[in-house]
Amino acid sequence: MAIPVETFFLRPGGQGTLQARIQQMVAEGILSGRFRRGERLPSTRGLARHLGVSRITVTLAYTELVASDYLASRGRSGYFVSENAPEPPEFSPTPRDERVNWDQAIGRRFSSSETIIARPPDWADYRYPFIYGQADPQLFDHANWRLCAMQALGARDFHALAQDHYDRDDPELVDFIARQTLPRRGIVARPEEILVTMGAQNALWLTAQVLLTRQRRAAIEDPCYPALRALLNQTRCRLAPMPVDASGLPPERVPERTDVIFTTPSHQCPTSATMPLDRREALLARARALDALIVEDDYEFEMAYLKPPVPALKSLDADGRVIYVGSFSKSLFPGLRLGYLVGSEPFIREARALRASMLRHPPGHIQRTAAYFLSLGHYDSLVRRIGRALTARRSEMEHAIARHGLDLAGLGAHGGSSVWMRAPSGTDTARLGEALRAQSVLIEPGAPFFVGADRSAAYYRLGYSSIPSERIDAGIARIAEALAPAPDGG
Amino acid sequence: MAIPVETFFLRPGGQGTLQARIQQMVAEGILSGRFRRGERLPSTRGLARHLGVSRITVTLAYTELVASDYLASRGRSGYFVSENAPEPPEFSPTPRDERVNWDQAIGRRFSSSETIIARPPDWADYRYPFIYGQADPQLFDHANWRLCAMQALGARDFHALAQDHYDRDDPELVDFIARQTLPRRGIVARPEEILVTMGAQNALWLTAQVLLTRQRRAAIEDPCYPALRALLNQTRCRLAPMPVDASGLPPERVPERTDVIFTTPSHQCPTSATMPLDRREALLARARALDALIVEDDYEFEMAYLKPPVPALKSLDADGRVIYVGSFSKSLFPGLRLGYLVGSEPFIREARALRASMLRHPPGHIQRTAAYFLSLGHYDSLVRRIGRALTARRSEMEHAIARHGLDLAGLGAHGGSSVWMRAPSGTDTARLGEALRAQSVLIEPGAPFFVGADRSAAYYRLGYSSIPSERIDAGIARIAEALAPAPDGG
């Protein structure tokens, strides 16, 4: 590869002759790891013109660098970084003399409050990855996705998709969501009531920013998705945790003076509980009585492979108080970063303006590729294929859990991709998780999901969206073994 | 296309017999525009199973719908929406009975504060689009971009890119930015000092959120990029406008007690002024004296096609107080939504945590496609090709402006893609812009760029990144004509 001439700069106020400064610049590039062995340097003529120096100065500098074996000359082909050039220890340029007091300069901190349940980046190398929310490459329809991407990258679409669309979305994707995706949940919405987002995370974040302030109260399920708690904390609103039961959120637990209720009725996160229809209606009535809004996070509704899902809260919402969050992360793949918000027009207008200010819009090609994939029916077949695979895995999970005597604490009524587990009281599942890692088993300790730490340590979640069916039994066996009391009673 | 069975729901508590409710559901789907002429309905067996009703009920309902010409039966192929089915007036489902007082429910408003300079969506249909910041499809290397996208969509990369990476970026893109992009600006940075963002807009937004609070003061150039003002207003910080001159921001204009200085030294936005080296050094000295940070928005540094650019402020920054914002929107295309932040590690850590909370990370495939395009050298040839085209256009602009007697107010020293113009005093360029639209000419009125409205109305910006060279003269002629005093002196 050729090193572009534009990367060469003579620093103003440098010391020494021009020739020496050029030599130093090249040597520094090599020693800092920016220029690598075998890469071609600009021609002497080109570099001289770029730097505004005479060509002979550059030639002399290069000749010196050849003599010191930083460079090698290959006749008419020009100058290259020598194969014997010194290797940098690693890519670490000289540190600056930092003079900023960052503790003071940073106005708001986000790093401490964020609790991401981060799986190890190399999770796919584990033999028993009971993790949640990653894509299974065996199930995804990669070939058709690639064809749809090619179509969206074709000359006809390219020009339109390459432009800045300010606050607008791809009308084809919005149309598909309105006509095909939402009706599956019984939801009817106009395009003005839909906003495409960078995944469900982004949808929740926008919602929180628009609805909440220091003076408002948000009620959240306990346990809940930890990243939701973190993003609500960013608004500095008052947070009221509501303990859930085996049917999800009990409506009577929603406290007085609540402004916004965050709930996951399809599969409560993380317990997997499914809220029955009568409770959904009671929750809507409770919200109406409080004049509160409901944010319904329906993050994996497509995973209803055992029986048809209960209608979404939003589909039962007669007075416009439900804001619905959908995601393509579970049915397509999470690295796509594509989801959507559905709500009344005044709300969507504000969320759209905020999105425009923070990032404009999700990339055009991504939106169009998804629109093609969905409208060509690949999405439907994919959801069915995932459903078949998860049916088998879920049955294997249930059998293995029973066979090895583990304690199941929660299970989605219509499907889902994880189960909620209870370890013997006194177990610290964070430590359990660490111990299991050494045996190539990944589990998700329960503590980060809870607001209070007291009753949480014994729970854990097992995802089965990324583990092949035939490994489930052996993986569960290892968990049971790790949980068994030591034989000598110690 | 087949209508998926999952989109059918019997609403709880519906009126009438099951058969009537099924008929109504289908008719509603057709009348609301969700089901379109020619689309196939689910089989009677499939729909009966999905709804949990007997098959004969569905058959009777379908038969009734055939009789009323909503559906057509095609023997063994099944039932289709009839070609004579009533057409919905337009896609507008029955409105809900909105009971939420959104004026009160919305905690923070973003729609009013945002001033996007939105070009008309159909700008490409105008003959003389002197607009700024859109991609020219004639210049972009679409074929190689597509090849790079295919490579990133290949089986080898796909698995890795489909995953949720939490707060991490694609290491290949970060490596390329560190080794190849930043050195062009004389900047040396470690991967921990770089964050990939959803365009420069997102980079500025993250920076404002991390650094500013109600108590802090941000100093901005006047005129400036209006979306910057809007996103700074979201932080509720105190804003100090600093009038710029022909060399950009005068350092002595930075007020006492400033915490963060926002500046565009390469090409001041919108005046195009280039800040000379001695002023850059004076600005750094001023920031050091105030212990202020500098945010350097280098949004189109690649557009230095006339002579090598002045080194970035960040490259002269000895004490870590410059935060650098880069973008691939101008050199690749804006719909890509890809940019980056460079700054000291404590700052990047907070910006990364905030980005993770609001959207996790820019989509993996987009990052990898850009990494391939950049590292295969396509980016370099593209920047050169754009430079050649803009050289010709810029020269044509200068000649046409002189020829038609227009008043040039600002011009980038190294290149750029727009010029800043002054209309005769008393001209309202917003009205001028409207009048020119009717003649297929698009210009950008100056008022939205200014904090104060008084001295702004007579300025306007002319972009030349989207108009072919050969149309420039005729377009400028029309502007001159529209600005000329009426011949009868009226």
Side-chain angles (χ1 to χ4, degrees):
Chain A
M1 198 178 136
I3 303 166
V5 72
E6 293 83 1
T7 63
F8 289 83
F9 274 97
L10 281 178
R11 305 209 163 241
Q15 302 291 316
T17 64
L18 276 173
Q19 181 194 323
R21 286 165 67 194
I22 293 168
Q23 278 173 238
Q24 200 179 351
M25 180 171 62
V26 173
E28 265 180 24
I30 293 170
L31 287 170
S32 68
R34 275 169 43 218
F35 308 158
R36 292 184 183 170
R37 290 177 178 180
E39 290 182 338
R40 190 168 76 229
L41 273 89
S43 69
T44 52
R45 185 193 300 268
L47 185 58
R49 194 170 41 214
H50 176 73
L51 297 176
V53 304
S54 81
R55 190 174 169 194
I56 186 75
T57 307
V58 177
T59 306
L60 287 171
Y62 277 11
T63 309
E64 279 298 315
L65 286 160
V66 170
S68 53
D69 218 357
Y70 275 83
L71 300 185
S73 162
R74 299 198 198 143
R76 292 178 60 90
S77 307
Y79 291 87
F80 294 78
V81 177
S82 164
E83 294 299 336
N84 306 316
E87 281 278 8
E90 61 179 37
F91 189 80
S92 51
T94 10
R96 267 182 301 278
D97 179 17
E98 187 75 50
R99 296 275 180 92
V100 177
N101 178 350
W102 286 102
D103 277 346
Q104 194 194 300
I106 287 167
R108 292 191 64 186
R109 302 206 160 263
F110 299 93
S111 58
S112 47
S113 65
E114 171 75 12
T115 15
I116 297 180
I117 307 212
R119 285 91 205 171
D122 61 345
W123 65 263
D125 298 337
Y126 286 74
R127 194 159 169 80
Y128 309 104
F130 290 107
I131 56 165
Y132 181 82
Q134 292 287 19
D136 185 336
Q138 305 307 316
L139 296 178
F140 188 70
D141 182 358
H142 170 228
N144 275 315
W145 181 264
R146 197 157 179 251
L147 284 175
C148 292
M150 288 304 101
Q151 195 180 337
L153 286 163
R156 208 179 60 122
D157 284 342
F158 194 87
H159 173 54
L161 300 175
Q163 304 305 325
D164 185 341
H165 292 282
Y166 312 108
D167 62 351
R168 295 187 297 272
D169 290 318
D170 184 353
E172 298 206 13
L173 180 58
V174 171
D175 179 68
F176 190 88
I177 293 171
R179 291 212 319 127
Q180 298 285 345
T181 311
L182 295 175
R184 281 156 208 255
R185 305 301 289 119
I187 300 169
V188 176
R190 288 175 289 115
E192 302 76 36
E193 296 172 323
I194 299 170
L195 181 72
V196 179
T197 64
M198 303 287 301
Q201 174 86 22
N202 185 225
L204 290 169
W205 190 92
L206 290 167
T207 303
Q209 292 289 323
V210 169
L211 298 180
L212 294 167
T213 63
R214 246 174 244 255
Q215 285 75 41
R216 309 242 165 150
R217 184 195 300 265
I220 54 170
E221 296 170 339
D222 186 28
C224 83
Y225 177 46
L228 171 65
R229 231 161 44 226
L231 66 87
L232 291 176
N233 278 326
Q234 284 178 29
T235 70
R236 299 179 192 179
C237 70
R238 284 172 291 167
L239 269 191
M242 308 170 290
V244 301
D245 63 22
S247 302
L249 173 63
E252 67 278 8
R253 284 265 167 80
V254 180
E256 298 292 324
R257 292 188 306 282
T258 292
D259 296 293
V260 189
I261 302 160
F262 288 83
T263 182
T264 49
S266 284
H267 294 119
Q268 202 277 330
C269 173
T271 67
S272 294
T274 302
M275 191 184 290
L277 187 58
D278 54 349
R279 191 177 267 204
R280 288 177 193 232
E281 281 165 346
L283 181 60
L284 280 165
R286 176 80 181 141
R288 205 173 297 123
L290 295 170
D291 197 20
L293 301 174
I294 296 177
V295 179
E296 175 182 25
D297 182 359
D298 204 23
Y299 58 100
E300 58 166 21
F301 82 84
E302 297 102 330
M303 303 298 114
Y305 44 82
L306 296 178
K307 51 181 178 176
V310 178
L313 275 176
K314 179 72 188 157
S315 76
L316 309 169
D317 168 33
D319 39 356
R321 66 180 69 251
V322 178
I323 291 164
Y324 179 87
V325 174
S327 168
F328 292 116
S329 291
K330 303 299 178 287
S331 52
L332 298 177
F333 51 89
L336 185 62
R337 310 307 312 136
L338 214 54
Y340 48 93
L341 264 179
V342 182
S344 292
E345 213 177 320
F347 166 76
I348 292 293
R349 193 183 306 128
E350 297 305 319
R352 184 183 300 280
L354 174 56
R355 191 199 67 183
S357 185
M358 65 189 253
L359 60 79
R360 291 268 174 271
H361 55 80
H365 285 105
I366 298 256
Q367 292 194 56
R368 184 60 58 91
T369 301
Y372 283 144
F373 192 84
L374 296 166
S375 63
L376 291 172
H378 301 314
Y379 167 73
D380 295 302
S381 1
L382 177 63
V383 167
R384 278 193 292 273
R385 184 163 53 249
I386 294 177
R388 279 194 299 273
L390 292 190
T391 304
R393 290 183 197 175
R394 155 97 169 227
S395 152
E396 189 58 33
M397 288 290 289
E398 290 187 70
H399 286 123
I401 286 165
R403 197 178 301 133
H404 297 285
L406 294 183
D407 188 3
L408 188 63
L411 195 64
H414 310 99
S417 61
S418 65
V419 293
W420 185 237
M421 304 292 295
R422 194 187 295 109
S425 107
T427 311
D428 176 352
T429 54
R431 282 167 133 195
L432 174 70
E434 275 169 41
L436 283 166
R437 266 199 196 207
Q439 296 188 56
S440 212
V441 181
L442 290 175
I443 66 164
E444 304 197 329
F449 295 101
F450 289 91
V451 175
D454 44 330
R455 66 202 183 87
S456 62
Y459 288 94
Y460 59 107
R461 181 166 71 166
L462 299 179
Y464 50 89
S465 56
S466 303
I467 184 168
S469 215
E470 62 276 14
R471 293 200 190 156
I472 287 175
D473 188 72
I476 297 289
R478 293 188 185 207
I479 299 171
E481 205 174 298
L483 281 171
D488 60 354
Chain B
M1 196 178 140
I3 304 167
V5 73
E6 293 84 2
T7 63
F8 289 83
F9 274 97
L10 282 177
R11 302 208 169 244
Q15 303 290 315
T17 63
L18 275 175
Q19 182 194 323
R21 286 166 66 194
I22 292 169
Q23 278 173 239
Q24 202 180 351
M25 180 172 63
V26 174
E28 266 180 24
I30 292 171
L31 288 169
S32 67
R34 275 170 42 220
F35 307 158
R36 293 184 182 169
R37 290 179 177 178
E39 290 183 339
R40 191 170 74 231
L41 272 87
S43 68
T44 52
R45 186 193 300 272
L47 184 58
R49 194 170 40 215
H50 175 73
L51 297 176
V53 303
S54 81
R55 190 174 168 193
I56 187 74
T57 307
V58 176
T59 306
L60 288 171
Y62 277 11
T63 308
E64 280 297 316
L65 287 161
V66 169
S68 53
D69 218 358
Y70 276 84
L71 300 185
S73 163
R74 298 196 198 145
R76 293 178 58 90
S77 305
Y79 292 88
F80 294 79
V81 177
S82 163
E83 294 299 335
N84 306 313
E87 279 278 8
E90 61 179 36
F91 188 80
S92 52
T94 12
R96 268 180 301 278
D97 180 17
E98 187 76 48
R99 296 273 181 92
V100 177
N101 177 350
W102 285 104
D103 276 347
Q104 194 194 300
I106 286 167
R108 291 191 63 186
R109 303 206 160 263
F110 299 94
S111 58
S112 47
S113 65
E114 171 74 11
T115 14
I116 296 181
I117 307 210
R119 287 90 205 173
D122 61 345
W123 64 262
D125 298 336
Y126 286 74
R127 194 160 167 83
Y128 309 104
F130 291 108
I131 57 165
Y132 180 82
Q134 292 288 21
D136 186 335
Q138 305 307 318
L139 295 179
F140 188 68
D141 182 358
H142 169 227
N144 275 315
W145 180 264
R146 200 155 177 254
L147 284 175
C148 292
M150 280 181 73
Q151 195 181 336
L153 286 162
R156 208 178 60 121
D157 284 343
F158 194 87
H159 174 54
L161 301 176
Q163 304 304 326
D164 185 339
H165 292 284
Y166 312 107
D167 62 350
R168 295 186 297 271
D169 290 318
D170 184 352
E172 296 205 13
L173 180 58
V174 172
D175 179 68
F176 190 89
I177 292 171
R179 291 213 317 128
Q180 298 285 345
T181 311
L182 295 177
R184 282 157 206 255
R185 306 299 290 120
I187 300 170
V188 176
R190 288 174 290 115
E192 301 77 33
E193 295 172 324
I194 299 170
L195 181 72
V196 180
T197 64
M198 303 287 300
Q201 174 85 23
N202 185 225
L204 289 169
W205 190 92
L206 290 167
T207 303
Q209 292 290 322
V210 169
L211 297 180
L212 294 167
T213 63
R214 246 174 244 256
Q215 284 76 42
R216 309 243 166 150
R217 184 196 299 266
I220 54 169
E221 296 171 340
D222 187 28
C224 83
Y225 178 46
L228 171 65
R229 229 160 46 224
L231 67 86
L232 291 176
N233 278 327
Q234 284 178 29
T235 69
R236 300 178 190 179
C237 69
R238 286 173 288 168
L239 270 189
M242 307 171 290
V244 301
D245 62 24
S247 302
L249 173 64
E252 66 278 10
R253 285 265 167 81
V254 180
E256 297 293 324
R257 291 187 305 284
T258 292
D259 296 294
V260 188
I261 302 159
F262 287 83
T263 182
T264 49
S266 284
H267 294 118
Q268 203 277 331
C269 173
T271 68
S272 294
T274 301
M275 191 184 290
L277 187 59
D278 54 349
R279 192 177 266 203
R280 289 177 192 232
E281 282 167 344
L283 182 59
L284 279 165
R286 176 80 180 140
R288 205 172 298 124
L290 296 171
D291 197 19
L293 301 175
I294 296 176
V295 178
E296 175 181 26
D297 182 358
D298 204 24
Y299 58 99
E300 59 167 19
F301 82 82
E302 298 100 331
M303 303 299 113
Y305 44 82
L306 296 178
K307 51 182 178 175
V310 178
L313 275 175
K314 180 71 190 158
S315 77
L316 309 169
D317 168 32
D319 39 358
R321 66 179 69 251
V322 178
I323 290 164
Y324 179 88
V325 173
S327 168
F328 291 115
S329 290
K330 304 298 177 288
S331 52
L332 299 176
F333 52 88
L336 184 63
R337 311 307 313 137
L338 214 54
Y340 47 93
L341 265 178
V342 182
S344 292
E345 213 176 323
F347 166 76
I348 292 292
R349 193 183 306 127
E350 297 304 320
R352 183 182 301 280
L354 174 56
R355 192 199 65 183
S357 186
M358 64 189 255
L359 60 79
R360 291 270 174 268
H361 55 79
H365 285 104
I366 298 256
Q367 293 194 54
R368 184 61 57 91
T369 302
Y372 283 144
F373 192 84
L374 297 165
S375 63
L376 291 173
H378 302 313
Y379 167 73
D380 296 302
S381 1
L382 177 63
V383 167
R384 279 193 292 272
R385 184 163 55 249
I386 294 177
R388 279 194 300 272
L390 292 190
T391 304
R393 291 184 196 174
R394 155 96 170 229
S395 151
E396 189 56 36
M397 288 292 287
E398 290 187 69
H399 286 124
I401 287 166
R403 197 178 302 134
H404 297 285
L406 294 183
D407 188 4
L408 186 65
L411 195 64
H414 310 100
S417 60
S418 65
V419 293
W420 185 238
M421 304 291 295
R422 194 187 295 108
S425 109
T427 311
D428 177 352
T429 54
R431 284 167 129 197
L432 174 70
E434 276 169 43
L436 284 167
R437 267 199 197 208
Q439 297 188 56
S440 213
V441 180
L442 289 175
I443 66 163
E444 304 198 328
F449 295 101
F450 288 91
V451 175
D454 44 330
R455 65 202 183 87
S456 60
Y459 287 94
Y460 60 106
R461 182 166 70 165
L462 298 179
Y464 50 91
S465 56
S466 303
I467 184 169
S469 216
E470 60 276 14
R471 292 200 191 155
I472 286 175
D473 188 73
I476 296 289
R478 292 186 186 210
I479 298 171
E481 205 173 297
L483 281 171
D488 61 353

